[in-house]
Amino acid sequence: MTAPVCVSAPAKINLHLEVLGLRSDGFHELAMVMQSIDLADELRCENTADGSITLTCDQPGLSCGDDNLIIRAAQLLRARSGFGELGARLHLSKRIPIGAGLAGGSSDGAAALVALNRLWGLGQSQAQLEALAADLGSDMPFCVAGGTQLCFGRGEQLEPLPPARQPLGVLLVKNPAVSVSTPWAYGECRKSRSDRYLKGEEAFEQRRQLLRAAEWLHPLQASTPPPLRNDLQEVVAPQTPSVRKALDILDPLPGRLRVAMSGSGPSCFALFADRALADQAKHQVEAALAAEGLKSWSCSLLPHGVKLAS
Ligand code: C5P
């Protein structure tokens, strides 16, 4: 029996989310910049002798069945390994809010791939794990790799960017009782924006080139803060009061560089020049946020994704 394996599974925020157009497979063609942050779940796993794969979680209400990306990732990794007798007992300590646009579920699935690759001694490379991850969800390859990345295609085509030059701080806000369905958000986007969608690979590639060359990305720093464009915010905010409330409270904060929604929402965040400023801002608005049912987290940027605990 090998020793248990423990991994951290960080959340991400979107520093850019541009919906370019529709693809023939029904997904949206995206141009994004994703950034790992130090709000992380923890996944622990150990071998089982009977070939079963089971999951427990410290958060009641989160499904631990076949619909959980951890179980799906474990089953896919085992099936592709050809060793059908492998088993694992997994336990998730949940810190990332659920249904938030922070890729919490995707990062947990990515964590299962990394942890079980080690536990089962499969020797898959990071590139192989990223390819496997892409079969499970659009955000999952990013969660394996993490850091600061351009993400194209449906989100799975990664181009790494240099890490931030300054230790930017993030104040993250979400109503724990509100979640947004990603398919719903993209469906709404299609309804209201498809007349503005770009058509064809040539037009997509022109936008990608513009983003690759964006001054604010080389590297991230407080003096040229990311514009924080998120095309889904335009369709989600008008229909989600907690998003509007979060943006209203974050926007006037002293020292904030930019404010936006992350992913398909409803979590929103403000960027600060450093972590201490984000901590201060949290302190300042915690009561106002709580009065609106909003919870807050002060975070730093991370230069990596899922990581084996030392
Ligand atoms: O791949 P993932 O499971 O994250 O996607 C969830 C849903 O979000 C998809 O079924 C699709 O409706 C929508 N989506 C999309 N275009 C993307 C990513 C997701 O339309 N690039």
Side-chain angles (χ1 to χ4, degrees):
M1 262 287 142
T2 45
V5 172
C6 212
V7 291
S8 70
K12 62 85 184 159
I13 51 173
N14 289 83
L15 301 178
H16 187 82
L17 194 167
E18 190 176 344
V19 177
L20 300 182
L22 260 185
R23 300 151 49 110
S24 51
D25 62 4
F27 278 78
H28 285 83
E29 183 71 25
L30 305 174
M32 301 190 286
V33 178
M34 303 234 259
Q35 172 65 57
S36 305
I37 55 173
D38 67 351
L39 174 65
D41 294 341
E42 191 184 273
L43 185 69
R44 192 174 187 279
C45 58
E46 55 193 5
N47 277 309
T48 50
D50 61 0
S52 62
I53 294 176
T54 57
L55 173 66
T56 51
C57 174
D58 63 358
Q59 186 147 323
L62 182 68
S63 165
C64 290
D66 284 355
D67 53 339
N68 191 304
L69 272 170
I70 294 174
I71 298 286
R72 290 178 49 210
Q75 287 170 344
L76 183 66
L77 184 67
R78 180 172 68 179
R80 299 272 173 93
S81 78
F83 300 110
E85 73 286 2
L86 292 170
R89 190 177 304 116
L90 299 121
H91 181 76
L92 177 67
S93 304
K94 196 78 197 151
R95 302 286 169 269
I96 306 170
I98 296 166
L102 300 170
S106 296
S107 198
D108 295 342
L113 293 178
V114 171
L116 293 174
N117 183 43
R118 169 61 69 93
L119 185 78
W120 292 338
L122 300 177
Q124 298 282 303
S125 66
Q126 177 162 316
Q128 287 171 312
L129 293 179
E130 285 175 24
L132 209 60
D135 289 345
L136 292 159
S138 306
D139 286 347
M140 279 188 57
F142 171 79
C143 293
V144 172
T148 313
Q149 304 251 1
L150 288 163
C151 306
F152 298 129
R154 56 187 174 85
E156 86 290 7
Q157 291 166 22
L158 308 182
E159 295 182 17
L161 287 161
R165 181 172 290 163
Q166 283 147 339
L168 300 177
V170 179
L171 178 59
L172 194 62
V173 165
K174 183 190 180 270
N175 183 329
V178 177
S179 59
V180 167
S181 144
T182 304
W184 171 81
Y186 280 105
E188 290 299 296
C189 185
R190 188 176 174 167
K191 267 198 256 166
S192 68
R193 291 177 50 99
S194 59
D195 54 336
R196 281 179 276 163
Y197 282 178
L198 300 175
K199 290 191 180 58
E201 176 52 28
E202 205 177 314
F204 295 162
E205 185 55 22
Q206 272 174 16
R207 293 298 310 173
R208 289 185 203 118
Q209 286 295 14
L210 278 180
L211 190 57
R212 286 184 186 111
E215 198 199 334
W216 57 268
L217 277 173
H218 295 283
L220 290 175
Q221 53 190 322
S223 56
T224 49
L228 294 190
R229 170 173 173 181
N230 181 343
D231 289 349
L232 294 179
Q233 183 176 328
E234 198 181 297
V235 292
V236 172
Q239 303 192 57
T240 317
S242 83
V243 169
R244 295 200 300 278
K245 197 32 100 182
L247 295 171
D248 284 349
I249 296 177
L250 292 176
D251 214 33
L253 278 175
R256 68 109 179 100
L257 300 172
R258 297 274 192 262
V259 167
M261 189 180 85
S262 181
S264 53
S267 65
C268 294
F269 64 98
L271 270 188
F272 292 86
D274 59 42
R275 173 66 180 267
L277 286 169
D279 288 342
Q280 261 174 38
K282 176 172 155 60
H283 198 65
Q284 190 180 327
V285 285
E286 217 159 15
L289 290 168
E292 297 293 342
L294 295 160
K295 205 174 155 193
S296 59
W297 297 261
S298 174
C299 311
S300 301
L301 309 189
L302 270 191
H304 59 76
V306 167
K307 203 169 178 189
L308 290 160
S310 45

